[in-house]
Amino acid sequence: MKLVFAIVHSDDSRAVMSEMTKEGFYFTRLSTSGGLLRAGNVTLMAGVEDEKVESLLDLLRRFSSQRKQMIQPSPMYGNEMFMSEPVEITVGGATVFVLDIEQFLKL
């Protein structure tokens, strides 16, 4: 048994959760935000049988797409305020942690 944490961009979360439900994966949804951009994320926590982990990872690859986005960096303060140029960054995709589970109970 594995515990899978998948941190998914909020724009992708509906599609990911819908497909996980269709494929029979049970999960808990946690609303989270990223540290760098402070953007909305969804963290999905799922107990998964060992033989189904690859299936879940494939699903996450298909429904969590990376894309480019322009952001305006925060103003920098010193002797005077400085606004830097917009920067292109990659957002989306999923960050996934797969952990071994010693015991899994549904009470």
Side-chain angles (χ1 to χ4, degrees):
M1 183 63 90
K2 304 289 186 195
L3 176 60
V4 177
F5 286 100
I7 304 166
V8 179
H9 193 278
S10 57
D11 291 346
D12 298 327
S13 64
R14 282 188 187 265
V16 169
M17 291 187 297
S18 176
E19 284 301 310
M20 285 179 70
T21 301
K22 284 181 192 174
E23 296 292 325
F25 292 105
Y26 296 101
F27 58 89
T28 298
R29 176 188 187 273
L30 306 169
S31 295
T32 54
S33 61
L36 177 63
L37 300 176
R38 294 177 184 85
N41 294 321
V42 171
T43 299
L44 303 171
M45 184 173 61
V48 180
E49 296 168 6
D50 290 352
E51 61 274 3
K52 294 184 177 181
V53 170
E54 279 306 314
S55 175
L56 177 56
L57 294 176
D58 289 340
L59 182 152
L60 290 166
R61 284 183 193 102
R62 287 193 325 264
F63 292 94
S64 306
S65 59
Q66 289 188 344
R67 55 203 161 272
K68 301 290 184 184
Q69 178 177 324
M70 297 298 285
I71 64 159
Q72 181 69 44
S74 298
M76 298 163 60
Y77 297 96
N79 291 339
E80 54 190 81
M81 193 168 98
F82 172 72
M83 294 292 286
S84 60
E85 302 257 338
V87 178
E88 183 178 73
I89 60 165
T90 302
V91 297
T95 301
V96 182
F97 299 90
V98 180
L99 307 162
D100 288 322
I101 297 299
E102 186 174 314
Q103 187 175 25
F104 177 79
L105 304 169
K106 283 188 176 184
L107 304 175

